[in-house]
Structure formats: C-alpha cells, structure tokens
Amino acid sequence: MTNVLVVGGAGYIGSHMVAILLKQGFRVTVFDNLSRGHKDACEGAHFIQGNLLDFAAISGCLSAQSFDIVFHFAALAYVGESVKHPEQYYQNNVVGSVNLLAAMRKHKLNRLVFSSTCATYGEAKHLPIRETDPQVPVNPYGFSKFVVEHMLSDYAKAYGFQSISLRYFNSAGCDPLGALGERHEPETHLIPLVLREALRTKLGGHSKDTALQIFGDDYDTPDGSCQRDYVHVNDLCDAHLLAAQQLLTNDDGQAKYYNLANAVAYSVFDVVSACRRLTGQPIEYRIEPRRSGDPAVLIGDAQQAIKELGWKPHRTQLDDMISSAWNYLSKGA
Ligand code: UFG
C-alpha cells in the first residue's frame, strides 16, 4: 500500500486531498499545526500535530515511518495578510519548506508534490498565463512560493530531488457531498464571503446591513473589478493524484511545474451575480479601495497539465463551484 504524508492535510485543500487519497486506498498520515486547519477534517488518516518550523518534529515524523511521497499544503495563503505581515509568510512558507526538504533529504525521501500558486506570476504580460511566462510576484505570499519553487529546482539539479509544483489559480467549491468545506477563520476569500452574506439575509438579516466589501471597481477590466480563474478543489486534488502517480513511476530526478486553471475569467461582480441567482438572496455590498497586492487579472493556461499529467478538470462551471460551497455553508443553517 502506498504510504503518503500530507503536510497541511487539515486545511481546506489538504483535507479534500486526504479524503480522495483514503478513498483510493492510500495509507495517509497528516502532519499539521492546526493554526488554520481542523483535525476533524481529516478523519480516517493518522494525525500528527506538528509545526514545520520545528525541525525535530518533522524529522521525527519522517523517521517513524517509511513514506513513499509527501504532499506539501502547509502554508499561509492570504494575499492581503501577506502584505501586512510578510515575516509570518517568509517564516511559515519559506523556512517551513526549508525544514521539510532538509528532513526529507535526511530520511532519503525525494518525492514531493508542492502546492504553488499563480500568485508567483504577478501582473501578467499576456493572458492566459503559461508556465514559461515570467514570474514576478507582486505580494509576499506569491514571493514565498516562488522562493520554494526555486529551491525545488536547485534540489533537483544538486540532489536529483523529484518534485511537481502545482500552480493553482483560484481554488473554489467543496466536496459535492457537503462533508468538507472552506473553514477559514478569518475568511478572506471572495466566494465564501459572498455566500456568508447570502446566508445572513436568508436567516433574516437586512440586505442594507451588508458586511460584504468589494475591493476596487476601478481596475482596467470590463466591469472595473478584478478577474480570477476559478478551479474546483476536487479538480485540484485530481491533479495532485496524477502528479503523485507520475513521481512514483518516473525516476527522472526533475522539478516540474504545472498551472491548474480553466482559462476562464470571472470578475468579482460576476461572482456576486452568480451567487444571487443560485441562492435567491439579494446580496448587497460596499465598494472599498483596492486591496494591496491584488493583480487585476489572473487567467491560466493548463494545457501542459492536461497533456503531460493527463489532467481532466470535470467541474469547470462556476455555478457548480458556488453551489457546492453553498450546500456546505447552508447545510447546518
Ligand atoms: N475580494 C473582494 N472582497 C472580498 C474578498 C475578495 O472584493 O471580501 C476580491 C479580491 O480583491 C480579489 C478577488 O476578490 O480581486 C479574489 O480574492 P480572493 O481573496 O478570493 O482570492 P485571491 O485571488 O486574493 O487569492 C487566492 C488565494 C491565493 C492564490 C490566489 C491566486 O488565496 O492563495 O487566489 O489568485 F494565490
């Protein structure tokens, strides 16, 4: 049985991955500091509470069992927060990854699937963005992931350390059965915040008391708001599984990089309109100044993942992503 370690497996994307790995018959251990994740989101996996900033903890975890591959989801991932608190981002995302890679080398484990991001590209020169396009991050979050990508490329050259970095565009949606969802506190992502506003009015709140803020309506885009390329979380997880299969079967000693995107852009106002239609709630908002660190448009070309990994995104409609997130959020209400 393939034995996998999922670092950051209690978070939003990590917990969806754990559920899929368990369903596929993998033996799964989660290593997570629970700073943003939830232990009950990875039921069925062996759970170790630990922090990547503690080298002895991650090294001890790797010495206790013989793992075939590691998935690395453990990172802080809020663009706005990274601009205000860059030190936390460089500590957690860069130093944490340095420790993980050193511990993996120490225990002769050299296969890693790394959660990277389209935030490594910054403001795109042309769209959709391809893997070969320049990476010029415009916020500390994107830069922290860019640094780790570079480390992986240097590790491949020097040590034959094999990795696949998956550059996610905007992850959205939830497990279709509604068992897992996006449980960030504080929540800063657009779709869950718009849906929280819908839930508030559904439960009797007045639409004029809205807490929803739109950060900027003066971008150089058709409706003035930012545009993003949304990808269903389960499609992201499918790509991780394919990446793991490739790493487990190919011993090419390389570091590879793939975009995970649908090449379709939705604006912030498109998301609000779709949420209004799908929830039947009025959903009002306030226009606020631009949020620091936000590129105007991010749209990705995932042809390389489609061709080389055999990735087939199945849940490409924004409506499906929003409906699954609404199903999760409104379930208990
Ligand atoms: N937005 C609002 N109001 C909100 C929240 C967000 O207007 O209350 C806007 C943002 O300004 C942005 C868009 O909605 O224009 C999307 O914002 P999110 O916070 O949902 O997502 P981001 O694009 O900032 O970041 C997410 C992930 C990152 C990833 C990035 C890639 O958090 O990890 O997608 O774009 F790198």
Side-chain angles (χ1 to χ4, degrees):
M1 188 188 279
T2 309
N3 194 18
V4 304
L5 178 66
V6 184
V7 182
Y12 164 48
I13 305 174
S15 62
H16 281 80
M17 188 74 233
V18 167
I20 289 174
L21 288 165
L22 289 170
K23 206 169 151 196
Q24 296 274 332
F26 287 77
R27 189 164 157 215
V28 184
T29 297
V30 169
F31 181 94
D32 196 298
N33 66 4
L34 296 182
S35 67
R36 301 267 158 112
H38 305 269
K39 190 175 172 188
D40 62 13
C42 37
E43 271 170 18
H46 173 56
F47 185 83
I48 298 171
Q49 184 166 356
N51 195 325
L52 284 182
L53 295 178
D54 177 355
F55 179 77
I58 183 60
S59 183
C61 165
L62 294 179
S63 69
Q65 294 184 51
S66 171
F67 293 105
D68 298 297
I69 191 161
V70 176
F71 293 85
H72 179 17
F73 293 94
L76 297 177
Y78 294 155
V79 169
E81 182 183 65
S82 81
V83 175
K84 286 193 190 115
H85 304 289
E87 187 172 304
Q88 280 181 29
Y89 277 70
Y90 289 109
Q91 281 281 350
N92 274 281
N93 298 2
V94 179
V95 179
S97 299
V98 169
N99 283 344
L100 174 63
L101 295 192
M104 287 179 69
R105 283 219 330 117
K106 183 174 170 193
H107 297 287
K108 303 200 178 342
L109 178 53
N110 73 341
R111 294 189 181 97
L112 179 77
V113 183
F114 174 60
S115 301
S116 189
T117 170
C118 63
T120 59
Y121 292 111
E123 295 285 355
K125 294 279 176 287
H126 68 81
L127 297 165
I129 302 169
R130 287 194 293 261
E131 287 85 350
T132 47
D133 287 341
Q135 288 175 289
V136 189
V138 293
N139 53 61
Y141 166 64
F143 208 87
S144 70
K145 293 281 182 172
F146 179 62
V147 171
V148 179
E149 283 198 5
H150 262 265
M151 276 178 59
L152 290 171
S153 140
D154 291 339
Y155 267 52
K157 283 181 216 140
Y159 312 126
F161 188 99
Q162 300 200 118
S163 63
I164 295 186
S165 295
L166 298 172
R167 294 177 186 155
Y168 314 159
F169 283 64
N170 283 54
S171 177
C174 300
D175 149 48
L177 300 176
L180 294 169
E182 206 163 347
R183 292 162 71 188
H184 297 124
E185 278 311 334
E187 185 54 80
T188 67
H189 293 115
L190 181 66
I191 293 177
L193 285 174
V194 178
L195 291 176
R196 282 184 189 193
E197 177 53 28
L199 187 61
R200 194 186 63 77
T201 53
K202 185 177 178 211
L203 296 176
H206 287 295
S207 56
K208 66 174 175 35
D209 298 330
T210 183
L212 181 64
Q213 309 173 72
I214 302 283
F215 300 126
D217 64 351
D218 56 351
Y219 284 93
D220 186 15
T221 56
D223 66 16
S225 67
C226 288
Q227 292 183 319
R228 293 289 182 270
D229 184 342
Y230 292 91
V231 189
H232 194 287
V233 63
N234 280 7
D235 284 339
L236 293 181
C237 293
D238 289 349
H240 285 70
L241 208 51
L242 292 163
Q245 279 157 3
Q246 193 187 95
L247 289 169
L248 289 165
T249 49
N250 281 1
D251 258 334
D252 59 11
Q254 288 186 32
K256 294 182 179 162
Y257 309 89
Y258 296 104
N259 284 343
L260 298 179
N262 285 312
V264 181
Y266 292 99
S267 74
V268 174
F269 292 124
D270 290 336
V271 169
V272 173
S273 304
C275 290
R276 280 184 181 142
R277 178 168 45 76
L278 291 164
T279 64
Q281 296 301 312
I283 312 184
E284 296 299 331
Y285 50 78
R286 298 193 312 268
I287 301 290
E288 297 289 339
R290 292 180 181 196
R291 191 174 66 176
S292 180
D294 275 345
V297 183
L298 287 166
I299 311 170
D301 178 336
Q303 282 310 310
Q304 209 164 300
I306 291 168
K307 279 194 206 112
E308 293 180 20
L309 293 177
W311 185 50
K312 290 192 193 80
H314 296 295
R315 308 151 191 96
T316 56
Q317 302 300 311
L318 182 66
D319 279 12
D320 290 343
M321 302 181 213
I322 292 174
S323 300
S324 62
W326 179 239
N327 178 36
Y328 175 77
L329 187 71
S330 55
K331 199 173 48 159

